[in-house]
Structures are given as structure tokens and as C-alpha cells.
């Protein structure tokens, strides 16, 4: 079946889904996006993703030409038309078509795009054995520049991190903030486990308020783990019993090595494995059912 893409109120083919070279999303990375998953016809944490999208829009003063309810309907319809009960949704809202100047007032209408696809970012082997990762010299953006809480289309900082990960031949890398505290991965939040307590950096450190992160924190509390949202350093990561990343695309994935230090037993640890299993259960029910 041919792929259908939502583009500014219309459902079009992949070939027809083109935007202007004057779109400020293209010219300046001026816009926002969400990555969302559908599991068995359930848009996982749909409202939470839309809340974050509309918060990002408010922060950058971008008017989305659809209400949140209309956006949810557009998501549902795009998934239905693609008949894809298990997939990944990329929802993009750019500033829209303007001129070559960067003034957003020259862009009267935002562009809205919804793409639904199949996605597998890491090989199955990585989920069984854990990822190797490294810390990188590219720091997380400071909050008084492009705030990491805004899920903006400008991912160049994260792409620089990805390039460093590629050069080290690893799938994900760890960014520190300007003060040297662990922030997050290029597209994932980070957790460590030490002596039975789970730690994740508070988002003010310089991390996206990840929706998978929040789901894992909720599960951790539900299952009685001690959970602390507090700053930590690379040393704490090196000596952790377990390390794992969370993200919509990656889901929950263990880390077996950081900067050459083997983490715990060098495989996914018991807390990570338990949370991974519980996460796999809630993804089918916690959201908005399409089919
Ligand atoms: N941090 C960054 C920088 C990301 O791009 C992502 C992926 N959206 C995440 C964390 C994880 O967030 P979520 O669980 O909402 O996908």
C-alpha cells in the first residue's frame, strides 16, 4: 500500500509531500517536532506528546493552525490511511514559507506535516546485550540559548553528538551540560542504577522532558524502586551497576560500556530488564486507540 502523508490539511503521496525551499524550517531549523509511536493501534502517550508540542510552540511563539483535538484527529486519520498499527509518527510544525530573512513575521502560516513509517533503530542484538557508548565533547545547549526542553527542529547540536558517536563507532553518546553534569544522549534520556536506587538527571540540567523517561519513572515508582532525580557526573555513570537510555525511537535500551568502562556485568541488568518488560506492556494500552 502506498504511503500517505499529511501535509497542511491534505493527505498526499510521498512524491507530492514537498515543502517550499523558503520554508523557515528548511532555511533556519525554525520549527518544532514530535516523534511518537503506535503500538498495536494505540498512539502511545498521544496527549503527552501533543502537550509537549503545543508547549514548544508557545515557547517559540509559533501558532499551530490546528487545535490539539484537530491535531489528534489528523494523527489518527494518517495512521488509518496508512493502515499501520505498529509504527513511528513524525509530526513536524515549521514556521512556514517566508522570505530569505529570518524574521518569523514573514511566515504567515505554519507548515504541518505528519509522516507515519516503520522504524527499528537498533539491531535486536543491542537490546539483548546493551549498547556501547561514549561521552562527547559537544555540550548540551544551555537553557538560556536554545532551551533543551523545546523539541525544536534545530538538531544540529545533537547531530554533532551523533557524528562523534559515529566516529567512535557507537550507537548513542552521552552529552554533558556546560558545568560537566550528565545531561542526556543525542536523542535519548539517561538513567543509572546504583545499589538499587535509580537516578536520572533533572531536566533543568539540560535534558528534554522525555515522555519515555516519564513513563519509566512512573513504572519505577509503581514497582517500589527508589528513584532520585538529581544531577550526577560521568564518574557516577562509570561506577553504576546499570545504565540505560530511554526514548520513543530507542524505547528502553541498556548500556554495557561507557568510555571503555564495562557497566555492571556487561549486559542488561535486572532493574533495566524489569522496567523494559513492564514498559512493553503499557505501550499497548496507555494512549489513544486508533484501530
Ligand atoms: N532527548 C532528546 C534530545 C530527544 O531527541 C529525545 C527523543 N525525542 C529524547 C530525549 C527522548 O524523549 P521521548 O522519550 O519523549 O522520545
Amino acid at each position: 500500500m502506498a504511503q500517505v502523508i499529511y501535509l497542511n490539511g491534505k493527505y498526499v503521496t510521498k512524491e507530492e509531500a514537498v515543502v517550499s525551499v523558503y520554508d523557515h524550517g528548511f532555511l533556519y531549523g525554525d520549527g518544532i517536532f514530535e516523534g511518537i509511536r503506535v503500538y498495536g493501534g494505540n498512539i502511545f502517550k498521544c496527549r503527552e506528546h501533543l502537550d509537549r508540542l503545543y508547549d514548544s510552540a508557545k515557547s517559540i511563539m509559533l501558532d499551530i493552525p490546528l487545535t490539539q483535538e484537530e491535531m489528534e484527529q489528523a494523527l489518527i486519520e494518517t495512521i488509518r490511511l496508512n493502515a499501520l498499527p505498529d509504527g513511528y509518527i513524525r509530526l513536524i510544525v515549521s514556521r512556514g514559507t517566508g522570505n530569505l530573512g529570518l524574521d518569523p513575521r514573514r511566515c504567515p502560516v505554519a507548515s504541518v506535516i505528519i509522516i507515519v513509517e516503520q522504524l527499528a533503530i537498533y539491531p535486536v542484538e543491542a537490546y539483548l546485550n546493551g549498547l556501547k557508548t561514549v561521552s562527547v565533547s559537544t555540550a548540551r545547549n544551555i537553557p538560556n540559548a536554545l532551551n533543551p526542553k523545546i523539541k525544536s527542529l534545530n538538531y544540529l547540536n545533537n547531530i554533532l553528538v551523533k557524528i562523534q558517536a559515529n566516529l567512535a563507532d557507537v550507537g548513542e553518546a552521552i552529552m554533558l551540560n556546560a558545568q560537566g553534569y550528565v545531561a542526556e544522549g543525542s536523542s535519548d534520556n539517561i538513567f543509572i542504577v546504583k545499589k538499587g536506587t535509580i537516578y536520572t538527571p533533572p531536566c533543568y540540567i539540560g535534558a528534554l522532558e522525555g515522555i519515555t523517561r516519564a513513563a519509566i519513572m512512573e513504572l519505577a515508582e509503581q514497582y517500589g524502586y527508589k528513584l532520585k532525580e538529581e544531577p550526577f557526573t560521568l564518574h557516577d555513570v562509570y561506577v553504576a551497576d546499570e545504565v540505560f537510555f530511554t526514548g520513543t525511537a530507542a524505547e528502553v535500551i541498556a548500556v554495557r560500556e561507557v568510555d571503555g568502562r564495562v557497566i555492571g556485568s556487561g549486559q542488561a541488568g535486572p532493574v533495566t530488564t524489569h522496567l523494559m518488560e513492564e514498559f512493553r506492556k503499557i505501550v499497548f494500552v496507555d494512549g489513544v486507540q486508533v484501530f
Side-chain angles (χ1 to χ4, degrees), residues 128-267:
L128 294 175
N129 301 321
L131 280 181
K132 272 188 180 185
T133 187
V134 293
S135 60
V136 292
S137 60
T138 305
R140 193 62 174 111
N141 310 60
I142 54 172
N144 55 340
L146 177 54
N147 194 315
K149 287 187 179 183
I150 300 169
K151 199 158 168 55
S152 99
L153 278 185
N154 189 329
Y155 253 49
L156 193 47
N157 201 65
N158 307 56
I159 290 164
L160 292 173
V161 174
K162 184 69 183 167
I163 289 170
Q164 289 197 271
N166 291 347
L167 290 171
D169 202 21
V170 296
E172 178 58 293
I174 300 172
M175 263 184 283
L176 310 182
N177 73 0
Q179 284 72 43
Y181 289 100
V182 171
E184 61 178 341
S186 67
S187 52
D188 301 299
N189 290 107
I190 188 167
F191 287 78
I192 62 174
V193 184
K194 182 74 174 175
K195 294 190 178 17
T197 300
I198 304 172
Y199 299 84
T200 194
C203 289
Y204 68 75
I205 283 289
L208 185 75
E209 290 177 315
I211 286 160
T212 321
R213 173 185 183 273
I216 288 298
M217 288 169 78
E218 228 174 85
L219 284 172
E221 277 175 353
Q222 193 181 323
Y223 287 94
Y225 290 105
K226 252 179 102 182
L227 173 72
K228 288 188 180 173
E229 227 179 327
E230 63 178 45
F232 55 81
T233 62
L234 268 181
H235 167 80
D236 305 304
V237 179
Y238 296 155
V239 301
D241 301 323
E242 301 180 38
V243 177
F244 62 92
F245 287 117
T246 62
T248 297
E251 301 170 299
V252 181
I253 189 157
V255 172
R256 67 181 154 99
E257 198 180 299
V258 183
D259 293 336
R261 281 79 161 177
V262 174
I263 303 301
S265 62
Q267 290 171 320

